[in-house]
Amino acid sequence: MTAKGNRKVIVTCAVTGAVHVPSQSPYLPLTPAQIAQDAVAAADAGAAILHLHARDPENGKPTPDPDMYARFLPEIKERTEAVVNITTGGGQGMSLDDRTAAARRFSPEMCSLNMGSMNFGRFGIASRIKEFRYDWEAADLEASRDYIFRNTYKDIEWVLREVGETHGTRFEFECYDVGHLYNLAYFLDLGLIKTPFLVQTIFGIMGGIGPDPEDLMHMKRTADRLFGDAYLWSILGAGRHQFNLVTMGAIMGGNVRVGMEDNIYLNRGELAHSNGDQVAKIVRILKELSLDVATPDEARQMLGLKGYQGVNF
Ligand code: KMH
Ligand code: ZN
């Protein structure tokens, strides 16, 4: 409780991502129109930040092509007040140059930045799919068995300078394990990170820290010890862990991330039909906990963002 009332929680919605394949859900946004529609629904439901990836509308395969982002960014800017957060993680097998092309073209207020190399196992998804819609999906999932999601110190510094400093873009620092928090502390000590900064602690990705409440407590304790009040904490739970962990994190003072990039379900066994439904669900939970939802401008103020006038879309 703040002097002025309930604490404000920043809700991020990650609309489509590059983790899931189209065959997992008919509701996963694939085309520019579907991505825009779901982003608007998420903002209308209370998301202050929209984390965006692009996909090829022909087959739903993740694409780094800035021209594809150009087909939905203006509409999202037109129809919402939300902060646009473009991925620099891209999709499996993309080069860093590709992964950052859209961010460098559109100078968004925010981007993701992944704080360490890691295994990123998606191959377990295949056994849950009865029939594949597209011929690239099975091989893409299996290829993750031998894939390293590369984010070296040199890569991270390059993004901090080429995207952050050059474009005035702030970051959603993606931390999948405790070591990533220490990497973040290294760059903070280098003076390459402006405060306050957003630490997205990610639970339940195969290759990262697990989804147990003990894992969440450990990441929170470590971030508090390393960053004190210089950071804002957010929680991302993958798959079935999403709502339990974001709710636990909100109770503990954190901000939250939902969206079909991270979880295609709304409830156990029930596919989410829209990203807006997931946002509406977490907003209901927050309200029941006497927590308010931050507006986009409140999020901008909390995170020191440059505002829409500084973007190029
Ligand atoms: N896929 C999520 C677990 C990124 O796009 O740079 C984290 C993420 C990474 O959204
Ligand atoms: Zn992402």
Side-chain angles (χ1 to χ4, degrees), residues 14 17-19 51-53 85-90 99 111-114 120 149 172 174 176 200 202 205 236 238 257 261-262:
V19 173
H51 172 72
L52 300 168
H53 292 240
N85 163 343
I86 295 178
T87 181
T88 65
R99 288 165 45 181
C111 277
S112 59
L113 180 49
N114 295 274
F120 202 114
F149 183 29
E172 175 187 321
E174 317 288 354
Y176 300 72
Q200 188 67 261
I202 300 172
I205 293 289
L236 183 167
R257 171 166 148 168
E261 171 167 349
D262 307 328

mmCIF file of all heavy atoms in Angstrom, residues 14 17-19 51-53 85-90 99 111-114 120 149 172 174 176 200 202 205 236 238 257 261-262, ligand 1:
data_model
loop_
_atom_site.group_PDB
_atom_site.id
_atom_site.type_symbol
_atom_site.label_atom_id
_atom_site.label_comp_id
_atom_site.label_asym_id
_atom_site.label_seq_id
_atom_site.Cartn_x
_atom_site.Cartn_y
_atom_site.Cartn_z
ATOM 1 N N ALA A 14 3.014 -10.731 -23.693
ATOM 2 C CA ALA A 14 3.873 -11.216 -24.781
ATOM 3 C C ALA A 14 2.995 -12.004 -25.751
ATOM 4 O O ALA A 14 2.570 -13.122 -25.455
ATOM 5 C CB ALA A 14 4.982 -12.102 -24.222
ATOM 6 N N GLY A 17 5.502 -14.541 -29.576
ATOM 7 C CA GLY A 17 6.815 -15.126 -29.324
ATOM 8 C C GLY A 17 7.332 -16.023 -30.447
ATOM 9 O O GLY A 17 6.879 -15.975 -31.590
ATOM 10 N N ALA A 18 8.289 -16.914 -30.039
ATOM 11 C CA ALA A 18 8.900 -17.839 -31.004
ATOM 12 C C ALA A 18 9.110 -19.208 -30.361
ATOM 13 O O ALA A 18 9.776 -20.071 -30.903
ATOM 14 C CB ALA A 18 10.253 -17.278 -31.459
ATOM 15 N N VAL A 19 8.534 -19.391 -29.179
ATOM 16 C CA VAL A 19 8.699 -20.675 -28.470
ATOM 17 C C VAL A 19 7.712 -21.710 -28.990
ATOM 18 O O VAL A 19 8.072 -22.839 -29.319
ATOM 19 C CB VAL A 19 8.475 -20.470 -26.949
ATOM 20 C CG1 VAL A 19 8.471 -21.809 -26.219
ATOM 21 C CG2 VAL A 19 9.509 -19.515 -26.369
ATOM 22 N N HIS A 51 4.979 -7.016 -25.524
ATOM 23 C CA HIS A 51 6.237 -7.605 -26.008
ATOM 24 C C HIS A 51 5.936 -8.355 -27.302
ATOM 25 O O HIS A 51 5.076 -9.241 -27.330
ATOM 26 C CB HIS A 51 6.813 -8.549 -24.952
ATOM 27 C CG HIS A 51 7.977 -9.323 -25.426
ATOM 28 N ND1 HIS A 51 9.231 -8.773 -25.636
ATOM 29 C CD2 HIS A 51 8.081 -10.634 -25.774
ATOM 30 C CE1 HIS A 51 10.055 -9.708 -26.076
ATOM 31 N NE2 HIS A 51 9.398 -10.846 -26.164
ATOM 32 N N LEU A 52 6.647 -7.964 -28.375
ATOM 33 C CA LEU A 52 6.234 -8.410 -29.707
ATOM 34 C C LEU A 52 7.333 -9.108 -30.493
ATOM 35 O O LEU A 52 8.484 -8.678 -30.510
ATOM 36 C CB LEU A 52 5.752 -7.187 -30.508
ATOM 37 C CG LEU A 52 4.563 -6.437 -29.887
ATOM 38 C CD1 LEU A 52 4.347 -5.101 -30.563
ATOM 39 C CD2 LEU A 52 3.294 -7.287 -29.920
ATOM 40 N N HIS A 53 6.935 -10.203 -31.109
ATOM 41 C CA HIS A 53 7.708 -10.909 -32.118
ATOM 42 C C HIS A 53 6.879 -10.884 -33.403
ATOM 43 O O HIS A 53 5.681 -10.616 -33.368
ATOM 44 C CB HIS A 53 7.918 -12.388 -31.744
ATOM 45 C CG HIS A 53 8.788 -12.625 -30.563
ATOM 46 N ND1 HIS A 53 9.945 -13.350 -30.635
ATOM 47 C CD2 HIS A 53 8.660 -12.269 -29.253
ATOM 48 C CE1 HIS A 53 10.496 -13.440 -29.435
ATOM 49 N NE2 HIS A 53 9.741 -12.793 -28.579
ATOM 50 N N ASN A 85 7.422 -3.173 -26.874
ATOM 51 C CA ASN A 85 8.683 -3.810 -26.455
ATOM 52 C C ASN A 85 8.997 -4.857 -27.514
ATOM 53 O O ASN A 85 8.296 -5.869 -27.612
ATOM 54 C CB ASN A 85 8.439 -4.440 -25.067
ATOM 55 C CG ASN A 85 9.475 -5.468 -24.650
ATOM 56 O OD1 ASN A 85 10.237 -5.988 -25.450
ATOM 57 N ND2 ASN A 85 9.495 -5.779 -23.366
ATOM 58 N N ILE A 86 9.993 -4.592 -28.364
ATOM 59 C CA ILE A 86 10.327 -5.520 -29.454
ATOM 60 C C ILE A 86 11.414 -6.489 -28.998
ATOM 61 O O ILE A 86 12.373 -6.091 -28.336
ATOM 62 C CB ILE A 86 10.802 -4.734 -30.704
ATOM 63 C CG1 ILE A 86 9.657 -3.884 -31.262
ATOM 64 C CG2 ILE A 86 11.329 -5.687 -31.782
ATOM 65 C CD1 ILE A 86 10.053 -3.029 -32.467
ATOM 66 N N THR A 87 11.264 -7.734 -29.352
ATOM 67 C CA THR A 87 12.247 -8.737 -28.977
ATOM 68 C C THR A 87 13.608 -8.497 -29.615
ATOM 69 O O THR A 87 13.707 -8.026 -30.741
ATOM 70 C CB THR A 87 11.781 -10.157 -29.388
ATOM 71 O OG1 THR A 87 12.766 -11.110 -28.985
ATOM 72 C CG2 THR A 87 11.575 -10.279 -30.902
ATOM 73 N N THR A 88 14.677 -8.790 -28.874
ATOM 74 C CA THR A 88 16.000 -8.965 -29.511
ATOM 75 C C THR A 88 16.421 -10.431 -29.382
ATOM 76 O O THR A 88 17.527 -10.794 -29.755
ATOM 77 C CB THR A 88 17.100 -8.075 -28.878
ATOM 78 O OG1 THR A 88 17.320 -8.488 -27.523
ATOM 79 C CG2 THR A 88 16.729 -6.607 -28.940
ATOM 80 N N GLY A 89 15.512 -11.225 -28.823
ATOM 81 C CA GLY A 89 15.802 -12.656 -28.735
ATOM 82 C C GLY A 89 15.450 -13.389 -30.005
ATOM 83 O O GLY A 89 16.040 -14.412 -30.336
ATOM 84 N N GLY A 90 14.481 -12.828 -30.736
ATOM 85 C CA GLY A 90 14.083 -13.395 -32.021
ATOM 86 C C GLY A 90 13.636 -14.844 -31.877
ATOM 87 O O GLY A 90 12.906 -15.184 -30.957
ATOM 88 N N ARG A 99 18.319 -10.733 -35.185
ATOM 89 C CA ARG A 99 17.470 -10.615 -33.987
ATOM 90 C C ARG A 99 17.219 -9.159 -33.620
ATOM 91 O O ARG A 99 16.205 -8.813 -33.036
ATOM 92 C CB ARG A 99 18.124 -11.351 -32.819
ATOM 93 C CG ARG A 99 18.107 -12.841 -32.917
ATOM 94 C CD ARG A 99 19.057 -13.526 -31.959
ATOM 95 N NE ARG A 99 19.030 -13.004 -30.609
ATOM 96 C CZ ARG A 99 19.815 -13.472 -29.628
ATOM 97 N NH1 ARG A 99 20.684 -14.462 -29.871
ATOM 98 N NH2 ARG A 99 19.745 -12.972 -28.417
ATOM 99 N N CYS A 111 13.024 -3.005 -25.412
ATOM 100 C CA CYS A 111 13.355 -4.272 -26.062
ATOM 101 C C CYS A 111 13.646 -5.294 -24.964
ATOM 102 O O CYS A 111 13.983 -4.917 -23.841
ATOM 103 C CB CYS A 111 14.623 -4.148 -26.886
ATOM 104 S SG CYS A 111 14.382 -3.472 -28.512
ATOM 105 N N SER A 112 13.550 -6.553 -25.337
ATOM 106 C CA SER A 112 14.056 -7.590 -24.433
ATOM 107 C C SER A 112 15.569 -7.681 -24.615
ATOM 108 O O SER A 112 16.101 -7.307 -25.669
ATOM 109 C CB SER A 112 13.414 -8.938 -24.770
ATOM 110 O OG SER A 112 13.700 -9.282 -26.126
ATOM 111 N N LEU A 113 16.264 -8.166 -23.594
ATOM 112 C CA LEU A 113 17.692 -8.443 -23.705
ATOM 113 C C LEU A 113 17.990 -9.656 -22.822
ATOM 114 O O LEU A 113 17.756 -9.625 -21.607
ATOM 115 C CB LEU A 113 18.542 -7.249 -23.272
ATOM 116 C CG LEU A 113 20.061 -7.422 -23.348
ATOM 117 C CD1 LEU A 113 20.520 -7.984 -24.699
ATOM 118 C CD2 LEU A 113 20.777 -6.087 -23.085
ATOM 119 N N ASN A 114 18.466 -10.718 -23.463
ATOM 120 C CA ASN A 114 18.663 -11.999 -22.784
ATOM 121 C C ASN A 114 20.056 -12.067 -22.160
ATOM 122 O O ASN A 114 21.047 -11.859 -22.861
ATOM 123 C CB ASN A 114 18.445 -13.129 -23.801
ATOM 124 C CG ASN A 114 17.005 -13.161 -24.292
ATOM 125 O OD1 ASN A 114 16.146 -13.771 -23.684
ATOM 126 N ND2 ASN A 114 16.738 -12.457 -25.386
ATOM 127 N N PHE A 120 17.985 -24.247 -24.656
ATOM 128 C CA PHE A 120 16.604 -23.765 -24.692
ATOM 129 C C PHE A 120 15.773 -24.896 -25.306
ATOM 130 O O PHE A 120 15.510 -24.905 -26.503
ATOM 131 C CB PHE A 120 16.503 -22.494 -25.545
ATOM 132 C CG PHE A 120 15.289 -21.631 -25.233
ATOM 133 C CD1 PHE A 120 15.429 -20.355 -24.683
ATOM 134 C CD2 PHE A 120 13.995 -22.076 -25.472
ATOM 135 C CE1 PHE A 120 14.327 -19.551 -24.398
ATOM 136 C CE2 PHE A 120 12.885 -21.306 -25.195
ATOM 137 C CZ PHE A 120 13.051 -20.033 -24.651
ATOM 138 N N PHE A 149 21.195 -21.165 -27.230
ATOM 139 C CA PHE A 149 20.671 -19.795 -27.364
ATOM 140 C C PHE A 149 21.815 -18.869 -26.967
ATOM 141 O O PHE A 149 22.140 -18.729 -25.783
ATOM 142 C CB PHE A 149 19.464 -19.620 -26.445
ATOM 143 C CG PHE A 149 18.791 -18.272 -26.533
ATOM 144 C CD1 PHE A 149 18.798 -17.509 -27.700
ATOM 145 C CD2 PHE A 149 18.111 -17.757 -25.425
ATOM 146 C CE1 PHE A 149 18.161 -16.286 -27.778
ATOM 147 C CE2 PHE A 149 17.448 -16.538 -25.491
ATOM 148 C CZ PHE A 149 17.474 -15.795 -26.664
ATOM 149 N N GLU A 172 13.846 -4.902 -21.070
ATOM 150 C CA GLU A 172 13.301 -5.955 -20.216
ATOM 151 C C GLU A 172 14.410 -7.004 -20.156
ATOM 152 O O GLU A 172 14.643 -7.721 -21.132
ATOM 153 C CB GLU A 172 12.023 -6.553 -20.820
ATOM 154 C CG GLU A 172 11.453 -7.748 -20.066
ATOM 155 C CD GLU A 172 10.278 -8.427 -20.790
ATOM 156 O OE1 GLU A 172 9.448 -7.713 -21.387
ATOM 157 O OE2 GLU A 172 10.214 -9.660 -20.770
ATOM 158 N N GLU A 174 15.967 -10.238 -19.539
ATOM 159 C CA GLU A 174 15.445 -11.604 -19.402
ATOM 160 C C GLU A 174 16.459 -12.453 -18.630
ATOM 161 O O GLU A 174 17.538 -12.755 -19.151
ATOM 162 C CB GLU A 174 15.179 -12.228 -20.780
ATOM 163 C CG GLU A 174 14.512 -11.306 -21.770
ATOM 164 C CD GLU A 174 13.032 -11.043 -21.442
ATOM 165 O OE1 GLU A 174 12.481 -11.660 -20.517
ATOM 166 O OE2 GLU A 174 12.437 -10.187 -22.133
ATOM 167 N N TYR A 176 16.970 -16.003 -16.911
ATOM 168 C CA TYR A 176 16.421 -17.362 -16.858
ATOM 169 C C TYR A 176 17.057 -18.179 -15.732
ATOM 170 O O TYR A 176 16.673 -19.345 -15.543
ATOM 171 C CB TYR A 176 16.702 -18.110 -18.161
ATOM 172 C CG TYR A 176 16.139 -17.490 -19.416
ATOM 173 C CD1 TYR A 176 16.684 -16.328 -19.960
ATOM 174 C CD2 TYR A 176 15.081 -18.080 -20.099
ATOM 175 C CE1 TYR A 176 16.187 -15.776 -21.139
ATOM 176 C CE2 TYR A 176 14.577 -17.533 -21.284
ATOM 177 C CZ TYR A 176 15.145 -16.383 -21.778
ATOM 178 O OH TYR A 176 14.653 -15.826 -22.948
ATOM 179 N N GLN A 200 13.230 -9.214 -15.687
ATOM 180 C CA GLN A 200 12.198 -10.211 -15.948
ATOM 181 C C GLN A 200 12.758 -11.573 -15.512
ATOM 182 O O GLN A 200 13.619 -12.153 -16.201
ATOM 183 C CB GLN A 200 11.833 -10.243 -17.436
ATOM 184 C CG GLN A 200 10.640 -11.110 -17.768
ATOM 185 C CD GLN A 200 9.364 -10.552 -17.200
ATOM 186 O OE1 GLN A 200 8.912 -10.996 -16.140
ATOM 187 N NE2 GLN A 200 8.811 -9.559 -17.849
ATOM 188 N N ILE A 202 12.544 -15.427 -15.202
ATOM 189 C CA ILE A 202 11.832 -16.388 -16.032
ATOM 190 C C ILE A 202 11.956 -17.785 -15.449
ATOM 191 O O ILE A 202 13.070 -18.247 -15.160
ATOM 192 C CB ILE A 202 12.407 -16.374 -17.463
ATOM 193 C CG1 ILE A 202 12.256 -14.968 -18.069
ATOM 194 C CG2 ILE A 202 11.731 -17.422 -18.339
ATOM 195 C CD1 ILE A 202 12.951 -14.772 -19.394
ATOM 196 N N ILE A 205 11.545 -22.555 -18.174
ATOM 197 C CA ILE A 205 12.053 -22.827 -19.522
ATOM 198 C C ILE A 205 13.093 -23.937 -19.402
ATOM 199 O O ILE A 205 13.977 -23.861 -18.527
ATOM 200 C CB ILE A 205 12.692 -21.564 -20.140
ATOM 201 C CG1 ILE A 205 11.638 -20.494 -20.393
ATOM 202 C CG2 ILE A 205 13.469 -21.904 -21.416
ATOM 203 C CD1 ILE A 205 10.667 -20.803 -21.534
ATOM 204 N N LEU A 236 7.846 -14.093 -14.983
ATOM 205 C CA LEU A 236 7.340 -14.796 -16.165
ATOM 206 C C LEU A 236 7.391 -16.281 -15.823
ATOM 207 O O LEU A 236 8.453 -16.814 -15.553
ATOM 208 C CB LEU A 236 8.227 -14.478 -17.360
ATOM 209 C CG LEU A 236 7.890 -15.026 -18.739
ATOM 210 C CD1 LEU A 236 8.750 -14.308 -19.800
ATOM 211 C CD2 LEU A 236 8.079 -16.524 -18.890
ATOM 212 N N ALA A 238 6.596 -20.032 -17.329
ATOM 213 C CA ALA A 238 6.333 -20.700 -18.604
ATOM 214 C C ALA A 238 5.221 -21.739 -18.445
ATOM 215 O O ALA A 238 5.149 -22.443 -17.434
ATOM 216 C CB ALA A 238 7.607 -21.379 -19.118
ATOM 217 N N ARG A 257 4.180 -10.716 -16.155
ATOM 218 C CA ARG A 257 4.121 -10.913 -17.595
ATOM 219 C C ARG A 257 3.258 -12.118 -17.896
ATOM 220 O O ARG A 257 3.492 -13.189 -17.337
ATOM 221 C CB ARG A 257 5.524 -11.076 -18.170
ATOM 222 C CG ARG A 257 5.517 -11.495 -19.643
ATOM 223 C CD ARG A 257 6.852 -11.347 -20.329
ATOM 224 N NE ARG A 257 6.995 -12.382 -21.354
ATOM 225 C CZ ARG A 257 7.952 -12.377 -22.286
ATOM 226 N NH1 ARG A 257 8.855 -11.419 -22.342
ATOM 227 N NH2 ARG A 257 8.034 -13.354 -23.174
ATOM 228 N N GLU A 261 3.011 -16.061 -25.788
ATOM 229 C CA GLU A 261 4.425 -16.415 -26.026
ATOM 230 C C GLU A 261 4.886 -17.397 -24.962
ATOM 231 O O GLU A 261 5.676 -18.303 -25.253
ATOM 232 C CB GLU A 261 5.295 -15.166 -25.979
ATOM 233 C CG GLU A 261 6.782 -15.493 -25.999
ATOM 234 C CD GLU A 261 7.683 -14.311 -26.258
ATOM 235 O OE1 GLU A 261 7.187 -13.233 -26.642
ATOM 236 O OE2 GLU A 261 8.911 -14.465 -26.104
ATOM 237 N N ASP A 262 4.372 -17.219 -23.762
ATOM 238 C CA ASP A 262 4.866 -17.987 -22.616
ATOM 239 C C ASP A 262 3.957 -19.151 -22.238
ATOM 240 O O ASP A 262 4.423 -20.120 -21.641
ATOM 241 C CB ASP A 262 5.000 -17.050 -21.407
ATOM 242 C CG ASP A 262 5.844 -15.813 -21.728
ATOM 243 O OD1 ASP A 262 6.772 -15.937 -22.554
ATOM 244 O OD2 ASP A 262 5.553 -14.733 -21.186
HETATM 245 N N1 KMH B 1 10.606 -16.330 -24.651
HETATM 246 C C1 KMH B 1 10.553 -15.789 -23.298
HETATM 247 C C2 KMH B 1 10.770 -16.881 -22.280
HETATM 248 C C3 KMH B 1 12.966 -12.507 -26.002
HETATM 249 O O1 KMH B 1 11.994 -12.404 -26.772
HETATM 250 O O2 KMH B 1 14.016 -11.846 -26.134
HETATM 251 C C4 KMH B 1 11.543 -14.667 -23.090
HETATM 252 C C5 KMH B 1 11.593 -13.673 -24.222
HETATM 253 C C6 KMH B 1 12.935 -13.504 -24.852
HETATM 254 O O3 KMH B 1 10.592 -13.086 -24.570
#
